[in-house]
Amino acid sequence: MQVKTMAEMAANGETPEVLFWVGCAGSFDARAQRITKAFAEILHKAGINYAILGKEEACTGDPARRSGNEFLFQMMAYNNIQLLNAYNIKKIVTACPHCFNTLKNEYPELGGNYEVIHHTTLLQQLIDEGKIKLKEGGSFKGKKITYHDSCYLGRSNNIYEAPRKVLEALDAELVEMKRCRSNGLCCGAGGSQMFKEDEPGNKRINIERTEEALATDAKVIAAACPFCNTMMTDGVKNKEKETEVKVLDVAEIIVTEIA
């Protein structure tokens, strides 16, 4: 894929409309890379002038702060802010709610002020403005889809409608889990739990959440976070349902349905 980096754009005296912040999962995790590619393809098709930081991009520091290493967080955040400000970045889009929350709500106090939007919000805007048109009766027609609310998108930033409106643009049937929206249940990865061993308990959180998703009888579990995607995929595998139920990011669903 031909994706320009900020360094290349700056060298040519160009400024992108938006910076796509890929994030660690989207860069290094083989599964999340597919989400990155899907979203980049949508940006191409919609004619959005965007760039990435490429090798200059570092972790936002979210896992460090969540697991209690404030010093490391501030060091990483400061380096990122220096870089973003040097490129005079104004608008950032990211497919990771952790990056989204950190860049939007935690960087301003350290001198990083940007307009930060989540990819589901941008997808909703592109559909509303007619910049991407969806096929009528695509491959999701009549299929049941359930949407899992990411903690950092939902409860932390009150974004519940955008991902649902994007999914409603398909000819699919959106079914809600027992616990959804502000009452949603975490996938089990938040607070750096993804990177550590389980604490004592009688059931893993992602198994409980997957059971709620499977109870809706949906054929697709839609997520809007690479961490949620991993946890729900593991849950579906644990239940040996991976041939019947797919876990997909909202961008992966939309990219196949563009007319």
PDB file of all heavy atoms in Angstrom, residues 134-161:
ATOM      1  N   LEU A 134     -22.165   2.491   0.400  1.00  0.00           N
ATOM      2  CA  LEU A 134     -22.181   1.044   0.640  1.00  0.00           C
ATOM      3  C   LEU A 134     -23.089   0.327  -0.354  1.00  0.00           C
ATOM      4  O   LEU A 134     -24.096   0.885  -0.790  1.00  0.00           O
ATOM      5  CB  LEU A 134     -22.638   0.762   2.078  1.00  0.00           C
ATOM      6  CG  LEU A 134     -21.814   1.435   3.187  1.00  0.00           C
ATOM      7  CD1 LEU A 134     -22.369   1.077   4.553  1.00  0.00           C
ATOM      8  CD2 LEU A 134     -20.345   1.064   3.113  1.00  0.00           C
ATOM      9  N   LYS A 135     -22.699  -0.915  -0.680  1.00  0.00           N
ATOM     10  CA  LYS A 135     -23.502  -1.725  -1.604  1.00  0.00           C
ATOM     11  C   LYS A 135     -24.869  -1.998  -0.973  1.00  0.00           C
ATOM     12  O   LYS A 135     -24.975  -2.139   0.243  1.00  0.00           O
ATOM     13  CB  LYS A 135     -22.842  -3.098  -1.818  1.00  0.00           C
ATOM     14  CG  LYS A 135     -21.467  -3.079  -2.414  1.00  0.00           C
ATOM     15  CD  LYS A 135     -20.913  -4.517  -2.360  1.00  0.00           C
ATOM     16  CE  LYS A 135     -19.443  -4.545  -2.653  1.00  0.00           C
ATOM     17  NZ  LYS A 135     -18.821  -5.789  -2.200  1.00  0.00           N
ATOM     18  N   GLU A 136     -25.845  -2.137  -1.832  1.00  0.00           N
ATOM     19  CA  GLU A 136     -27.152  -2.554  -1.317  1.00  0.00           C
ATOM     20  C   GLU A 136     -27.159  -4.070  -1.298  1.00  0.00           C
ATOM     21  O   GLU A 136     -26.734  -4.707  -2.258  1.00  0.00           O
ATOM     22  CB  GLU A 136     -28.274  -2.008  -2.208  1.00  0.00           C
ATOM     23  CG  GLU A 136     -28.556  -0.552  -1.899  1.00  0.00           C
ATOM     24  CD  GLU A 136     -29.828  -0.064  -2.563  1.00  0.00           C
ATOM     25  OE1 GLU A 136     -30.745  -0.878  -2.746  1.00  0.00           O
ATOM     26  OE2 GLU A 136     -29.868   1.127  -2.880  1.00  0.00           O
ATOM     27  N   GLY A 137     -27.608  -4.617  -0.187  1.00  0.00           N
ATOM     28  CA  GLY A 137     -27.668  -6.078  -0.068  1.00  0.00           C
ATOM     29  C   GLY A 137     -26.311  -6.736  -0.208  1.00  0.00           C
ATOM     30  O   GLY A 137     -26.122  -7.641  -1.008  1.00  0.00           O
ATOM     31  N   GLY A 138     -25.345  -6.251   0.577  1.00  0.00           N
ATOM     32  CA  GLY A 138     -23.995  -6.821   0.545  1.00  0.00           C
ATOM     33  C   GLY A 138     -23.932  -8.157   1.272  1.00  0.00           C
ATOM     34  O   GLY A 138     -24.963  -8.779   1.571  1.00  0.00           O
ATOM     35  N   SER A 139     -22.722  -8.585   1.593  1.00  0.00           N
ATOM     36  CA  SER A 139     -22.548  -9.909   2.208  1.00  0.00           C
ATOM     37  C   SER A 139     -23.058  -9.982   3.651  1.00  0.00           C
ATOM     38  O   SER A 139     -23.147 -11.059   4.224  1.00  0.00           O
ATOM     39  CB  SER A 139     -21.078 -10.316   2.148  1.00  0.00           C
ATOM     40  OG  SER A 139     -20.265  -9.314   2.700  1.00  0.00           O
ATOM     41  N   PHE A 140     -23.391  -8.826   4.240  1.00  0.00           N
ATOM     42  CA  PHE A 140     -23.909  -8.849   5.625  1.00  0.00           C
ATOM     43  C   PHE A 140     -25.437  -8.725   5.660  1.00  0.00           C
ATOM     44  O   PHE A 140     -26.020  -8.628   6.731  1.00  0.00           O
ATOM     45  CB  PHE A 140     -23.268  -7.724   6.455  1.00  0.00           C
ATOM     46  CG  PHE A 140     -21.805  -7.955   6.708  1.00  0.00           C
ATOM     47  CD1 PHE A 140     -20.841  -7.409   5.858  1.00  0.00           C
ATOM     48  CD2 PHE A 140     -21.373  -8.744   7.768  1.00  0.00           C
ATOM     49  CE1 PHE A 140     -19.489  -7.644   6.066  1.00  0.00           C
ATOM     50  CE2 PHE A 140     -20.024  -8.986   7.986  1.00  0.00           C
ATOM     51  CZ  PHE A 140     -19.081  -8.432   7.127  1.00  0.00           C
ATOM     52  N   LYS A 141     -26.062  -8.704   4.486  1.00  0.00           N
ATOM     53  CA  LYS A 141     -27.518  -8.543   4.405  1.00  0.00           C
ATOM     54  C   LYS A 141     -28.228  -9.621   5.223  1.00  0.00           C
ATOM     55  O   LYS A 141     -27.979 -10.810   5.056  1.00  0.00           O
ATOM     56  CB  LYS A 141     -27.963  -8.624   2.945  1.00  0.00           C
ATOM     57  CG  LYS A 141     -29.465  -8.371   2.759  1.00  0.00           C
ATOM     58  CD  LYS A 141     -29.824  -8.381   1.291  1.00  0.00           C
ATOM     59  CE  LYS A 141     -31.324  -8.323   1.074  1.00  0.00           C
ATOM     60  NZ  LYS A 141     -31.915  -7.061   1.500  1.00  0.00           N
ATOM     61  N   GLY A 142     -29.084  -9.160   6.134  1.00  0.00           N
ATOM     62  CA  GLY A 142     -29.880 -10.077   6.947  1.00  0.00           C
ATOM     63  C   GLY A 142     -29.128 -10.778   8.070  1.00  0.00           C
ATOM     64  O   GLY A 142     -29.714 -11.482   8.876  1.00  0.00           O
ATOM     65  N   LYS A 143     -27.795 -10.576   8.130  1.00  0.00           N
ATOM     66  CA  LYS A 143     -27.014 -11.246   9.180  1.00  0.00           C
ATOM     67  C   LYS A 143     -27.154 -10.495  10.503  1.00  0.00           C
ATOM     68  O   LYS A 143     -27.251  -9.278  10.535  1.00  0.00           O
ATOM     69  CB  LYS A 143     -25.535 -11.288   8.797  1.00  0.00           C
ATOM     70  CG  LYS A 143     -25.173 -12.431   7.877  1.00  0.00           C
ATOM     71  CD  LYS A 143     -23.674 -12.570   7.753  1.00  0.00           C
ATOM     72  CE  LYS A 143     -23.305 -13.706   6.807  1.00  0.00           C
ATOM     73  NZ  LYS A 143     -21.880 -13.753   6.529  1.00  0.00           N
ATOM     74  N   LYS A 144     -27.105 -11.269  11.578  1.00  0.00           N
ATOM     75  CA  LYS A 144     -27.147 -10.645  12.908  1.00  0.00           C
ATOM     76  C   LYS A 144     -25.734 -10.223  13.311  1.00  0.00           C
ATOM     77  O   LYS A 144     -24.810 -11.030  13.276  1.00  0.00           O
ATOM     78  CB  LYS A 144     -27.684 -11.637  13.945  1.00  0.00           C
ATOM     79  CG  LYS A 144     -29.195 -11.752  13.959  1.00  0.00           C
ATOM     80  CD  LYS A 144     -29.654 -12.600  15.133  1.00  0.00           C
ATOM     81  CE  LYS A 144     -31.157 -12.768  15.131  1.00  0.00           C
ATOM     82  NZ  LYS A 144     -31.596 -13.642  16.225  1.00  0.00           N
ATOM     83  N   ILE A 145     -25.603  -8.960  13.690  1.00  0.00           N
ATOM     84  CA  ILE A 145     -24.321  -8.440  14.172  1.00  0.00           C
ATOM     85  C   ILE A 145     -24.543  -7.890  15.576  1.00  0.00           C
ATOM     86  O   ILE A 145     -25.513  -7.163  15.818  1.00  0.00           O
ATOM     87  CB  ILE A 145     -23.789  -7.301  13.265  1.00  0.00           C
ATOM     88  CG1 ILE A 145     -23.551  -7.793  11.830  1.00  0.00           C
ATOM     89  CG2 ILE A 145     -22.498  -6.705  13.830  1.00  0.00           C
ATOM     90  CD1 ILE A 145     -23.073  -6.706  10.861  1.00  0.00           C
ATOM     91  N   THR A 146     -23.655  -8.229  16.500  1.00  0.00           N
ATOM     92  CA  THR A 146     -23.714  -7.608  17.831  1.00  0.00           C
ATOM     93  C   THR A 146     -22.452  -6.776  18.021  1.00  0.00           C
ATOM     94  O   THR A 146     -21.371  -7.172  17.587  1.00  0.00           O
ATOM     95  CB  THR A 146     -23.893  -8.648  18.963  1.00  0.00           C
ATOM     96  OG1 THR A 146     -24.167  -7.951  20.184  1.00  0.00           O
ATOM     97  CG2 THR A 146     -22.668  -9.544  19.161  1.00  0.00           C
ATOM     98  N   TYR A 147     -22.627  -5.595  18.618  1.00  0.00           N
ATOM     99  CA  TYR A 147     -21.488  -4.687  18.782  1.00  0.00           C
ATOM    100  C   TYR A 147     -21.044  -4.660  20.245  1.00  0.00           C
ATOM    101  O   TYR A 147     -21.857  -4.489  21.155  1.00  0.00           O
ATOM    102  CB  TYR A 147     -21.857  -3.276  18.307  1.00  0.00           C
ATOM    103  CG  TYR A 147     -20.804  -2.244  18.636  1.00  0.00           C
ATOM    104  CD1 TYR A 147     -19.565  -2.265  17.996  1.00  0.00           C
ATOM    105  CD2 TYR A 147     -21.026  -1.272  19.610  1.00  0.00           C
ATOM    106  CE1 TYR A 147     -18.581  -1.336  18.318  1.00  0.00           C
ATOM    107  CE2 TYR A 147     -20.048  -0.341  19.933  1.00  0.00           C
ATOM    108  CZ  TYR A 147     -18.835  -0.381  19.287  1.00  0.00           C
ATOM    109  OH  TYR A 147     -17.855   0.528  19.616  1.00  0.00           O
ATOM    110  N   HIS A 148     -19.739  -4.859  20.453  1.00  0.00           N
ATOM    111  CA  HIS A 148     -19.163  -4.825  21.799  1.00  0.00           C
ATOM    112  C   HIS A 148     -18.594  -3.429  22.068  1.00  0.00           C
ATOM    113  O   HIS A 148     -17.733  -2.952  21.336  1.00  0.00           O
ATOM    114  CB  HIS A 148     -18.057  -5.886  21.921  1.00  0.00           C
ATOM    115  CG  HIS A 148     -17.140  -5.677  23.095  1.00  0.00           C
ATOM    116  ND1 HIS A 148     -17.545  -5.939  24.388  1.00  0.00           N
ATOM    117  CD2 HIS A 148     -15.865  -5.201  23.172  1.00  0.00           C
ATOM    118  CE1 HIS A 148     -16.528  -5.640  25.216  1.00  0.00           C
ATOM    119  NE2 HIS A 148     -15.517  -5.189  24.499  1.00  0.00           N
ATOM    120  N   ASP A 149     -19.094  -2.769  23.123  1.00  0.00           N
ATOM    121  CA  ASP A 149     -18.609  -1.426  23.485  1.00  0.00           C
ATOM    122  C   ASP A 149     -17.249  -1.507  24.171  1.00  0.00           C
ATOM    123  O   ASP A 149     -17.105  -2.133  25.216  1.00  0.00           O
ATOM    124  CB  ASP A 149     -19.607  -0.745  24.443  1.00  0.00           C
ATOM    125  CG  ASP A 149     -20.857  -0.279  23.743  1.00  0.00           C
ATOM    126  OD1 ASP A 149     -20.769   0.699  22.980  1.00  0.00           O
ATOM    127  OD2 ASP A 149     -21.924  -0.893  23.949  1.00  0.00           O
ATOM    128  N   SER A 150     -16.278  -0.838  23.577  1.00  0.00           N
ATOM    129  CA  SER A 150     -14.953  -0.736  24.213  1.00  0.00           C
ATOM    130  C   SER A 150     -15.056   0.251  25.375  1.00  0.00           C
ATOM    131  O   SER A 150     -15.718   1.284  25.263  1.00  0.00           O
ATOM    132  CB  SER A 150     -13.947  -0.228  23.176  1.00  0.00           C
ATOM    133  OG  SER A 150     -12.912   0.488  23.795  1.00  0.00           O
ATOM    134  N   CYS A 151     -14.403  -0.052  26.490  1.00  0.00           N
ATOM    135  CA  CYS A 151     -14.474   0.824  27.683  1.00  0.00           C
ATOM    136  C   CYS A 151     -14.008   2.244  27.384  1.00  0.00           C
ATOM    137  O   CYS A 151     -14.629   3.216  27.794  1.00  0.00           O
ATOM    138  CB  CYS A 151     -13.618   0.263  28.818  1.00  0.00           C
ATOM    139  SG  CYS A 151     -14.128  -1.366  29.376  1.00  0.00           S
ATOM    140  N   TYR A 152     -12.877   2.353  26.656  1.00  0.00           N
ATOM    141  CA  TYR A 152     -12.316   3.691  26.413  1.00  0.00           C
ATOM    142  C   TYR A 152     -13.080   4.478  25.370  1.00  0.00           C
ATOM    143  O   TYR A 152     -12.933   5.684  25.282  1.00  0.00           O
ATOM    144  CB  TYR A 152     -10.831   3.589  26.038  1.00  0.00           C
ATOM    145  CG  TYR A 152      -9.978   3.480  27.266  1.00  0.00           C
ATOM    146  CD1 TYR A 152      -9.210   2.352  27.513  1.00  0.00           C
ATOM    147  CD2 TYR A 152      -9.975   4.494  28.218  1.00  0.00           C
ATOM    148  CE1 TYR A 152      -8.452   2.242  28.664  1.00  0.00           C
ATOM    149  CE2 TYR A 152      -9.227   4.389  29.368  1.00  0.00           C
ATOM    150  CZ  TYR A 152      -8.466   3.260  29.589  1.00  0.00           C
ATOM    151  OH  TYR A 152      -7.725   3.159  30.741  1.00  0.00           O
ATOM    152  N   LEU A 153     -13.909   3.793  24.591  1.00  0.00           N
ATOM    153  CA  LEU A 153     -14.732   4.493  23.621  1.00  0.00           C
ATOM    154  C   LEU A 153     -16.065   4.859  24.265  1.00  0.00           C
ATOM    155  O   LEU A 153     -16.517   5.992  24.164  1.00  0.00           O
ATOM    156  CB  LEU A 153     -14.959   3.587  22.403  1.00  0.00           C
ATOM    157  CG  LEU A 153     -15.174   4.281  21.068  1.00  0.00           C
ATOM    158  CD1 LEU A 153     -14.076   5.269  20.781  1.00  0.00           C
ATOM    159  CD2 LEU A 153     -15.292   3.259  19.968  1.00  0.00           C
ATOM    160  N   GLY A 154     -16.639   3.858  24.930  1.00  0.00           N
ATOM    161  CA  GLY A 154     -17.952   4.048  25.547  1.00  0.00           C
ATOM    162  C   GLY A 154     -17.918   4.854  26.827  1.00  0.00           C
ATOM    163  O   GLY A 154     -18.058   6.069  26.827  1.00  0.00           O
ATOM    164  N   ARG A 155     -17.698   4.167  27.929  1.00  0.00           N
ATOM    165  CA  ARG A 155     -17.803   4.845  29.230  1.00  0.00           C
ATOM    166  C   ARG A 155     -16.841   6.013  29.399  1.00  0.00           C
ATOM    167  O   ARG A 155     -17.175   7.015  30.002  1.00  0.00           O
ATOM    168  CB  ARG A 155     -17.610   3.831  30.359  1.00  0.00           C
ATOM    169  CG  ARG A 155     -18.817   2.927  30.538  1.00  0.00           C
ATOM    170  CD  ARG A 155     -18.733   2.168  31.842  1.00  0.00           C
ATOM    171  NE  ARG A 155     -17.606   1.258  31.844  1.00  0.00           N
ATOM    172  CZ  ARG A 155     -17.659   0.015  31.397  1.00  0.00           C
ATOM    173  NH1 ARG A 155     -18.772  -0.454  30.880  1.00  0.00           N
ATOM    174  NH2 ARG A 155     -16.604  -0.765  31.450  1.00  0.00           N
ATOM    175  N   SER A 156     -15.624   5.895  28.849  1.00  0.00           N
ATOM    176  CA  SER A 156     -14.644   6.976  29.044  1.00  0.00           C
ATOM    177  C   SER A 156     -14.901   8.187  28.152  1.00  0.00           C
ATOM    178  O   SER A 156     -14.582   9.303  28.530  1.00  0.00           O
ATOM    179  CB  SER A 156     -13.222   6.470  28.790  1.00  0.00           C
ATOM    180  OG  SER A 156     -12.860   5.523  29.765  1.00  0.00           O
ATOM    181  N   ASN A 157     -15.461   7.954  26.957  1.00  0.00           N
ATOM    182  CA  ASN A 157     -15.619   9.067  26.011  1.00  0.00           C
ATOM    183  C   ASN A 157     -17.022   9.208  25.429  1.00  0.00           C
ATOM    184  O   ASN A 157     -17.244  10.027  24.534  1.00  0.00           O
ATOM    185  CB  ASN A 157     -14.596   8.927  24.871  1.00  0.00           C
ATOM    186  CG  ASN A 157     -13.184   9.245  25.355  1.00  0.00           C
ATOM    187  OD1 ASN A 157     -12.849  10.402  25.576  1.00  0.00           O
ATOM    188  ND2 ASN A 157     -12.370   8.212  25.552  1.00  0.00           N
ATOM    189  N   ASN A 158     -17.948   8.402  25.965  1.00  0.00           N
ATOM    190  CA  ASN A 158     -19.356   8.541  25.602  1.00  0.00           C
ATOM    191  C   ASN A 158     -19.649   8.369  24.108  1.00  0.00           C
ATOM    192  O   ASN A 158     -20.553   8.998  23.576  1.00  0.00           O
ATOM    193  CB  ASN A 158     -19.855   9.913  26.085  1.00  0.00           C
ATOM    194  CG  ASN A 158     -21.299   9.838  26.533  1.00  0.00           C
ATOM    195  OD1 ASN A 158     -21.778   8.771  26.902  1.00  0.00           O
ATOM    196  ND2 ASN A 158     -21.990  10.949  26.475  1.00  0.00           N
ATOM    197  N   ILE A 159     -18.844   7.548  23.427  1.00  0.00           N
ATOM    198  CA  ILE A 159     -19.094   7.290  22.001  1.00  0.00           C
ATOM    199  C   ILE A 159     -19.801   5.943  21.887  1.00  0.00           C
ATOM    200  O   ILE A 159     -19.174   4.893  21.977  1.00  0.00           O
ATOM    201  CB  ILE A 159     -17.776   7.319  21.183  1.00  0.00           C
ATOM    202  CG1 ILE A 159     -17.163   8.719  21.250  1.00  0.00           C
ATOM    203  CG2 ILE A 159     -18.029   6.904  19.731  1.00  0.00           C
ATOM    204  CD1 ILE A 159     -15.806   8.851  20.596  1.00  0.00           C
ATOM    205  N   TYR A 160     -21.123   6.021  21.740  1.00  0.00           N
ATOM    206  CA  TYR A 160     -21.930   4.813  21.603  1.00  0.00           C
ATOM    207  C   TYR A 160     -22.621   4.750  20.247  1.00  0.00           C
ATOM    208  O   TYR A 160     -22.821   3.678  19.697  1.00  0.00           O
ATOM    209  CB  TYR A 160     -23.024   4.763  22.690  1.00  0.00           C
ATOM    210  CG  TYR A 160     -22.486   4.725  24.096  1.00  0.00           C
ATOM    211  CD1 TYR A 160     -22.624   5.811  24.957  1.00  0.00           C
ATOM    212  CD2 TYR A 160     -21.831   3.589  24.569  1.00  0.00           C
ATOM    213  CE1 TYR A 160     -22.127   5.770  26.246  1.00  0.00           C
ATOM    214  CE2 TYR A 160     -21.327   3.542  25.854  1.00  0.00           C
ATOM    215  CZ  TYR A 160     -21.477   4.642  26.694  1.00  0.00           C
ATOM    216  OH  TYR A 160     -20.977   4.599  27.957  1.00  0.00           O
ATOM    217  N   GLU A 161     -23.005   5.924  19.729  1.00  0.00           N
ATOM    218  CA  GLU A 161     -23.824   5.954  18.517  1.00  0.00           C
ATOM    219  C   GLU A 161     -23.050   5.731  17.229  1.00  0.00           C
ATOM    220  O   GLU A 161     -23.513   5.021  16.352  1.00  0.00           O
ATOM    221  CB  GLU A 161     -24.590   7.293  18.437  1.00  0.00           C
ATOM    222  CG  GLU A 161     -25.632   7.476  19.527  1.00  0.00           C
ATOM    223  CD  GLU A 161     -26.583   6.285  19.671  1.00  0.00           C
ATOM    224  OE1 GLU A 161     -27.022   5.725  18.650  1.00  0.00           O
ATOM    225  OE2 GLU A 161     -26.870   5.891  20.818  1.00  0.00           O
TER     226      GLU A 161
END
